[in-house]
Amino acid sequence: MTDLTLMTPADDPASVLPSLALLSHRVRVLPLDAASLVRMPEDTILFVDARDDLASAKTICRMVHATGLSTPIILVLTDGGFPVVNAQWGIADMVLSSASPAEVEGRLRLVSERGAMAPAAASPDALDADAQASSGQLRCGDLVVDTNGYTASLRGHPIDLAYKEFELLKYLVQHPGRVFTRAQLLQEVWGYDYYGGTRTVDVHIRRLRAKLGGEYEHLIGTVRNVGYRFDPPEADASAADARRDA
């Protein structure tokens, strides 16, 4: 049994891809919006309903990749949608909404097997991150985050951070270049039992930038209409590029 997620704006999910109801897989149904990305597990195959709203479906596909998720995506289309889709969508496959159960099962099997045959190799950057994590210190240029001592410093000078400010900075630094929605950060840093709104994230980001100062506030970047990411200093980025080119 495969874990499947169907994102759709339809009132009746069974009408999107009727064959899914005839298969034995577990299907989770979520709205077709960015907030659903937080509720979607990484170990799933995502069906995106693109029958009536190709623009929204394309936005969701881009956001899945922008947030660093490796979730394979299968688009559910009508005949008219096929000419619009190209490699830039970043999907694993596409299927007509009228596809038979045998065809859907076959496409699922191929997507699953391709994912199993191509596990991500550990890059030098990942190895460096693992080594830093084991030492308890995350270093990005002049910024050092000590995960054991719950302290952060810039050029050797400590930054006075509140607990959640430190947790937010630590989480972002641990995932350089990855874009997180406000809802994702709220879930990962504040936890499932926190009932505040995503405005809390904006407030803490603003405080973090202020404490980093004008020279370093750009380390926390804003991705318009998506969320925030940690942008490593240029020296670190150049070193990473050099390692990749070597």
Side-chain angles (χ1 to χ4, degrees):
M1 180 183 294
T2 305
D3 186 280
L4 308 177
T5 299
L6 170 64
M7 283 193 187
T8 176
D11 295 328
D12 180 14
S15 68
V16 180
L17 187 58
S19 291
L20 281 182
L22 302 176
L23 300 174
S24 60
H25 304 294
R26 180 173 55 254
V27 182
R28 177 186 299 98
V29 179
L30 297 174
L32 187 67
D33 57 44
S36 294
L37 296 178
V38 180
R39 302 163 56 190
M40 183 183 71
E42 292 192 25
D43 189 18
T44 189
I45 295 177
L46 174 62
F47 283 87
V48 175
D49 181 3
R51 298 171 305 155
D52 302 318
D53 191 348
L54 285 164
S56 294
K58 185 176 184 179
T59 297
I60 289 295
C61 292
R62 286 181 170 179
M63 290 185 69
V64 167
H65 294 290
T67 53
L69 297 173
S70 58
T71 306
I73 302 170
I74 300 178
L75 281 186
V76 182
L77 296 161
T78 60
D79 282 322
F82 271 78
V84 179
V85 182
N86 55 40
Q88 294 181 356
W89 287 54
I91 63 171
D93 206 342
M94 48 189 176
V95 64
L96 282 172
S97 58
S98 58
S100 68
E103 179 181 347
V104 174
E105 184 67 29
R107 291 181 184 276
L108 279 171
R109 184 172 62 253
L110 288 173
V111 168
S112 298
E113 289 176 354
R114 283 199 296 267
M117 290 173 62
S123 66
D125 293 344
L127 294 174
D128 287 348
D130 288 343
Q132 290 189 44
S134 64
S135 70
Q137 288 194 341
L138 303 173
R139 294 179 178 272
C140 293
D142 295 327
L143 176 65
V144 178
V145 178
D146 185 344
T147 60
N148 293 333
Y150 284 86
T151 60
S153 61
L154 268 173
R155 293 182 175 176
H157 299 289
I159 310 171
D160 183 17
L161 299 177
Y163 177 73
K164 284 302 181 185
E165 292 168 355
F166 174 82
E167 287 292 308
L168 178 58
L169 178 62
K170 180 183 74 172
Y171 190 76
L172 290 170
V173 172
Q174 286 175 328
H175 302 86
R178 178 171 171 178
V179 183
F180 293 97
T181 65
R182 292 166 176 82
Q184 284 177 310
L185 290 172
L186 200 66
Q187 174 182 302
E188 296 296 336
V189 177
W190 279 263
Y192 291 96
D193 56 348
Y194 182 77
Y195 294 100
T198 54
R199 174 68 176 165
T200 299
V201 176
D202 294 329
V203 171
H204 280 71
I205 289 289
R206 186 167 64 248
R207 291 174 180 169
L208 265 181
R209 284 173 171 161
K211 292 182 178 182
L212 289 172
E215 187 179 352
Y216 294 95
E217 62 181 3
H218 68 278
L219 294 179
I220 301 178
T222 298
V223 180
R224 190 175 180 182
N225 297 326
V226 182
Y228 299 104
R229 73 180 174 209
F230 181 76
D231 293 320
E234 291 184 4
D236 286 6
S238 298
D241 291 341
R243 286 195 297 267
R244 283 192 291 268
D245 294 338

